[in-house]
Every structure is written in structure tokens, then in C-alpha cells.
Amino acid sequence: MKTTVIIGGSKGIGLAITKKLMTSQNVIVVSRSVPDLKHKNLTHYSCDVLKDKLPDIGVIDGLVYCPGSINLKPVTRLTTDDFKEDFEINVIGAVKTIKHYLNAIKKGTNPSIVLFSTVATKLGMPYHASIATAKAGVEGLVKSLGAELAPKIRINAIAPTVTNTDLAAKLLRNEKMIENIKERHPLKRFLDPTDVAHMADFLLGEKTLNMSGQIIELDCGIVNFKL
């Protein structure tokens, strides 16, 4: 049975990925909070990825790094510390995780790493300067490591649009805002965490053995269409 490690797998998109995978493989969740789930295939380690030593794991077939941030402010209100904190959680945390588990991933079967970007790296959006800068770093990491770790290890990223999670609650806090978000997307919808979990499962699986270094836009059309 495959083993997938999910950093930040207790909430939001990470929780949806945990639920998607744990019925068919061993899932190890590393997060600060305990997931509200019980399953024979699920193991949890309490850990703050930026502060604590990550648990040692022998063999890893899939690695998913979910921690992120949505820090939306005008640039006049963004401090250099805001930029540093967003870069820490989105990029440095991912680097720390990959470096710690690299030997274990090399022992895996058709191993795959999945990171997360955002549509804001492609679609210039007001108030996204800090998070777009950090996620652009994630995309650069995916491209560079994809080349460096080939042919043994694949690494790709998912770049979602607005997703209905606690992290995005401020963007979806009333019906008018929800309708406005839908209207901005050509497909007239935004994402549910399960939509992203399906893509993560796809990138971790055997159907994507020929894909690495890719940034997959789950954008409901907002990046590529102008209607």
C-alpha cells in the first residue's frame, strides 16, 4: 500500500486530500491541529513545520505540502515582515519539508510531490503583492526541482482560484460576495476543497508519470478566458 505524507492535512484543502486518499493508502498527516477523522490508514503527528523537527518516516510515495496564507492588503499597508512571513510559510516550509524527506521519497514507488501556488501569480490582482510573490517562489521551486530530481521524482503544483475554506472565509462572508466571486469566473463557480483534492490525487497517481514541473491552474476560467 502506498504511503502519502500530507503537511497541513487537518484543515481545508489538506483535509479534503486526506479524506480522498485515506481509504486506499496509508496517509500520514503532519499538522499543528488534529484532524477530525478516524481511520485505520490515518496517522497524525503534531508539528509546526516552521518551528519543530519533522517526524522521521522510512518510505514515502507521495508528499503534499498544503500550508499557505491569504494576506490581502494594499502595498502601502504591507510590511516587510508580511512578505517574510508569507515567504516562510509558502516557500521555506516547503523547502524544509522536501529536504527532510528527500531520502524517504527516493525510496518510494513512482514518487510524486505536490505543492500549491495561486492564480494570482498569472493574473495580476490588487492587494495580492505579498502572496503572489511567495507563490511565484513556489512555482520557481517546482520548475527547478522538477529538473533536478528527474527522472526519479516528479514535482508539480496546483494553482487554485478562490476555494471555499476557512482561509478564504473573508472573501465569501456573505451572499453578495459569493455571487460576485462566481460572476468573476467564466464558469460561474469557484472551488470546493474536494475539487482540489481530486487534482492532487491525480498528480500523485500513476496516470501522471509523464508530468513534472507543471503548474496546474484550477481557475474556473478566470486566468485563461476573457468573456
Side-chain angles (χ1 to χ4, degrees):
M1 187 180 289
K2 290 177 62 175
T3 295
T4 295
V5 175
I6 305 175
I7 310 297
S10 61
K11 294 181 179 180
I13 289 171
L15 180 60
I17 298 171
T18 299
K19 290 178 179 178
K20 176 73 176 175
L21 300 182
M22 70 182 184
T23 58
S24 61
Q25 57 186 274
N26 293 318
V27 175
I28 300 172
V29 170
V30 180
S31 62
R32 292 181 296 179
S33 58
V34 179
D36 189 19
L37 295 171
K38 298 288 184 183
H39 197 279
K40 64 181 181 179
N41 296 338
L42 177 62
T43 303
H44 176 259
Y45 290 99
S46 292
C47 177
D48 184 324
V49 68
L50 294 180
K51 298 177 181 177
D52 303 327
K53 183 181 184 298
L54 290 162
D56 292 326
I57 299 167
V59 178
I60 297 173
D61 304 295
L63 176 65
V64 186
Y65 184 85
C66 299
S69 54
I70 301 180
N71 187 8
L72 307 184
K73 297 178 185 177
V75 70
T76 53
R77 288 178 49 207
L78 283 169
T79 66
T80 53
D81 284 341
D82 286 324
F83 280 87
K84 289 176 182 177
E85 288 171 10
D86 285 336
F87 195 82
E88 282 275 333
I89 189 62
N90 289 282
V91 182
I92 300 303
V95 170
K96 176 183 175 181
T97 300
I98 293 168
K99 284 177 66 64
H100 183 80
Y101 289 125
L102 191 54
N103 287 335
I105 297 168
K106 288 178 178 177
K107 297 174 186 175
T109 301
N110 296 322
S112 175
I113 300 170
V114 175
L115 305 182
F116 283 91
S117 181
T118 171
V119 294
T121 63
K122 300 287 194 305
L123 182 71
M125 301 169 71
Y127 315 128
H128 284 67
S130 182
I131 187 58
T133 298
K135 290 301 192 182
V138 171
E139 294 191 8
L141 185 65
V142 166
K143 296 290 186 180
S144 296
L145 289 187
E148 183 175 339
L149 300 179
K152 178 62 177 174
I153 300 170
R154 294 174 292 122
I155 177 169
N156 297 284
I158 301 170
T161 188
V162 176
T163 307
N164 189 13
T165 65
D166 289 345
L167 202 61
K170 290 182 179 180
L171 302 176
L172 303 168
R173 61 181 180 267
N174 57 54
E175 287 300 320
K176 182 177 181 180
M177 294 181 76
I178 289 171
E179 288 306 311
N180 286 342
I181 290 287
K182 287 182 179 178
E183 194 60 30
R184 288 184 61 203
H185 291 79
L187 297 185
K188 305 307 178 190
R189 66 185 306 271
F190 52 89
L191 296 174
D192 185 82
T194 55
D195 299 321
V196 188
H198 291 318
M199 179 56 70
D201 183 31
F202 179 62
L203 292 174
L204 291 166
E206 304 299 306
K207 295 180 180 179
T208 52
L209 295 181
N210 297 316
M211 290 177 59
S212 191
Q214 301 298 307
I215 313 299
I216 309 298
E217 294 168 3
L218 284 184
D219 68 345
C220 297
I222 197 170
V223 173
N224 294 296
F225 301 149
K226 181 174 176 59
L227 302 182

